[in-house]
Amino acid sequence: MTANDSLLSVKSDISVLPPIFPLIDTHTHFDAPVFDADRTWQAQQAYGRGVCHLLLVGYLYRHFERLYTTQQLLEQPLGSRLSAMLPSIDVASTPKAHIALGLHPFYIEQHSDAHLSQMAQLVAECRPLAIGEIGLDTFTDEMKKPKMLAKQQYFFRAQLDMAVQHQLPVMLHIRKAHAETLAILKAHHYNAHQLGGIAHSFSGGEQEAKAFVKLGFKLGVTGQITNPNAKKLRRAIQSVVASYGTGCLVLETDCPDMTPIKCQTTDDKSSALGENVDNEWQRAVGYKRNVPANLPWILYSLSELLNVAPADLARQLWQNSCDALQTLWTYPQP
C-alpha cells in the first residue's frame, strides 16, 4: 500500500458518520489563522455534515475585523466564484456565519477602556448576534489576584450592560469562577430568560449546571462530553437534564480546541504515512485541531449519554440554540 493509499484509508475511517442531522455550532473561533489554509474546504465539509449555522466568537478587540472578514469569505467562498466561471463545477455550500463580539476575561491585561468604547460603537453600528465571550476566569494564580479579578468584573459588568442596552444574548466564559459569575449575574439586570444566553463550554458541577439553567442560560456542550473520563461533566449534564430536560443544552465545537475523542489520534498512524504527507493528513482529518465538521460526534455522544434518539435530540438542540440566540432559524428537513 502506498502512502497515498494509507492517507485515503485514514480519511475514510475518520469521516464515516451515522445519519446527518441539521445542527448549529454555537461557538467557534473559525476565524483563527490555523484555518487560513483550508477554511473554505473545512466550511464545506461542515455543511456536508449538517452544520447549517456557526458563530464566530470574539475575544480580543484587535481581532474583531478578522471576524467580519471570515464572515464575508464564507458568504461567497472561493468555490462559488469558481462556479460562476465554470458552471460545471459542483460546489458545496457552507454554513451561514454569525458574529459575537466580546472581550475575553483571560486576556484582561490586553483590554482597555478604549476597547470597551470601540466595541460599544461597533455593536451599535453592526449589531452582532450576541455579546461574547465574556465572564470571569481564575484558572491561574495570576488571574486570581485582586487587581486582575476586579478588572475582569468591571469588564464583565460593562459588557452585560451593552447586552441589556441592545437586547442581545451573552456567551459566558467561566473557568474556576462559577460562584463569582453567578453572583454578578444575579445582581445584574441582565435577564437570560428574556434575552437568551449560553454558558459556553460548561465545566462546572451538578449544582452549578442547575443554577445557570435556572437563570435562563443554555449549557454549551463541547467535545469534552465524548471523553468517558470526563465524569464530573457527564454527571452534571445527566443531572441537569434529569431536572430540566434536554431543552437546556446546545452544541459547540469551540474549534480549534476541544476536539472530540473520535477525531483525535492516539496511535502512530501519522508516522506511518511518512513525513512528507503528515501535514496534509493532519489538515484532512483535523488532527490536533478541532473543526466545525466534528460537531456531529458531539451530538452522537450526547445522544448516547442521555439515551435520547439522535434525530429527536438534534431537533431539540436546534430549537435550544434558536432560543439561546434569540433567532427564528427554520429547522431544515434532513
Side-chain angles (χ1 to χ4, degrees):
M1 180 181 292
T2 66
N4 285 338
D5 289 335
S6 298
L7 175 61
L8 290 173
S9 176
V10 173
K11 286 182 182 178
S12 175
D13 180 59
I14 295 291
S15 64
V16 171
L17 271 173
I20 301 299
F21 300 101
L23 299 172
I24 298 169
D25 192 342
T26 64
H27 199 111
T28 81
H29 297 288
F30 198 45
D31 60 303
V34 70
F35 296 112
D36 285 351
D38 63 347
R39 185 175 287 107
T40 296
W41 185 82
Q42 289 292 352
Q44 291 172 344
Q45 293 297 300
Y47 190 85
R49 293 183 177 179
V51 181
C52 300
H53 297 269
L54 61 80
L55 261 72
L56 305 168
V57 181
Y59 59 99
L60 282 169
Y61 178 78
R62 69 173 182 266
H63 294 324
F64 284 179
E65 184 177 355
R66 197 173 72 190
L67 297 171
Y68 288 96
T69 300
T70 301
Q71 183 186 46
Q72 291 169 4
L73 173 70
L74 295 181
E75 286 176 350
Q76 189 180 12
L78 176 62
S80 296
R81 296 196 293 273
L82 286 175
S83 181
M85 295 183 289
L86 300 170
S88 60
I89 294 179
D90 181 17
V91 178
S93 296
T94 59
K96 176 70 175 175
H98 311 270
I99 289 173
L101 296 177
L103 300 173
H104 194 297
F106 191 73
Y107 303 98
I108 195 66
E109 286 187 299
Q110 301 182 49
H111 305 325
S112 68
D113 283 336
H115 293 155
L116 272 178
S117 298
Q118 291 162 335
M119 175 181 160
Q121 182 176 354
L122 190 58
V123 169
E125 293 175 353
C126 300
R127 188 172 178 85
L129 188 63
I131 300 295
E133 54 190 288
I134 66 174
L136 301 176
D137 191 319
T138 60
F139 184 68
T140 67
D141 290 338
E142 182 68 19
M143 302 297 287
K144 295 176 185 176
K145 292 181 178 179
K147 185 177 180 181
M148 295 283 278
L149 185 56
K151 187 177 179 182
Q152 286 189 54
Q153 292 169 339
Y154 168 72
F155 271 75
F156 185 24
R157 291 189 179 99
Q159 292 178 94
L160 285 174
D161 287 340
M162 267 186 240
V164 171
Q165 179 184 353
H166 295 281
Q167 295 291 283
L168 293 171
V170 298
M171 313 190 78
L172 300 175
H173 171 96
I174 317 154
R175 194 160 57 156
K176 300 293 184 181
H178 289 85
E180 296 87 344
T181 302
L182 284 166
I184 289 177
L185 289 169
K186 289 176 181 178
H188 201 277
H189 46 261
Y190 180 87
N191 187 336
H193 288 290
Q194 293 180 358
L195 299 182
I198 297 171
H200 148 64
S201 187
F202 183 78
S203 60
E206 296 177 32
Q207 296 309 311
E208 292 159 334
K210 293 175 183 177
F212 280 98
V213 171
K214 189 174 181 179
L215 288 181
F217 290 92
K218 309 297 185 187
L219 306 183
V221 181
T222 69
Q224 288 181 310
I225 203 70
T226 70
N227 185 352
N229 294 324
K231 295 179 181 178
K232 175 186 172 183
L233 173 63
R234 290 163 70 88
R235 283 197 303 269
I237 296 301
Q238 288 176 314
S239 177
V240 75
V241 168
S243 296
Y244 292 94
T246 55
C248 62
L249 306 177
V250 297
L251 298 184
E252 55 175 274
T253 58
D254 196 22
C255 66
D257 298 321
M258 304 294 182
T259 307
I261 289 292
K262 284 183 178 292
C263 306
Q264 297 175 8
T265 296
T266 55
D267 57 18
D268 199 28
K269 288 179 180 178
S270 59
S271 63
L273 299 178
E275 294 181 0
N276 292 334
V277 298
D278 186 54
N279 288 337
E280 178 187 354
W281 178 74
Q282 290 181 22
R283 287 196 302 271
V285 301
Y287 176 66
K288 294 185 179 178
R289 176 191 64 164
N290 199 8
V291 296
N294 290 338
L295 193 64
W297 292 118
I298 305 174
L299 169 70
Y300 277 95
S301 288
L302 190 60
S303 168
E304 182 179 5
L305 177 69
L306 301 177
N307 194 27
V308 177
D312 297 335
L313 185 58
R315 184 177 287 274
Q316 180 65 62
L317 291 166
W318 182 283
Q319 185 59 55
N320 299 348
S321 300
C322 290
D323 293 343
L325 298 170
Q326 296 294 286
T327 66
L328 296 172
W329 299 329
T330 302
Y331 184 76
Q333 293 304 316

